[in-house]
Amino acid sequence: NEAKWQDAIALGHAARRSGRREEALTHYRAALALAPDQAETNGVCGSVLDLAEVARSGRAPSSRHLA
């Protein structure tokens, strides 16, 4: 499960950096399901919520969403 979690996080980061918000959300949600207690998983939880708000509102992401 560790490898699957790492893959989900890496794919989420790559999708987020490329501006593919919905894809990033999918990968981050998968990571959260695989390892909800991992520190990085908890960190991306905020990113998931921020990205969901960006996607819902249709506004352009701020630089912190792309880091």
Side-chain angles (χ1 to χ4, degrees):
N1 257 0
E2 176 73 17
K4 288 181 182 181
W5 173 81
Q6 288 177 348
D7 288 345
I9 290 290
L11 289 169
H13 290 338
R16 184 178 63 175
R17 283 190 299 272
S18 297
R20 299 185 317 268
R21 295 185 299 262
E22 293 298 323
E23 183 180 338
L25 284 168
T26 298
H27 292 301
Y28 288 147
R29 286 182 178 130
L32 287 167
L34 288 166
D37 294 332
Q38 281 276 5
E40 188 171 354
T41 303
N42 289 321
V44 300
C45 186
S47 293
V48 169
L49 295 173
D50 286 347
L51 286 168
E53 176 58 29
V54 166
R56 194 172 27 258
S57 71
R59 74 183 195 290
S62 69
S63 60
R64 76 180 188 162
H65 296 116
L66 302 175

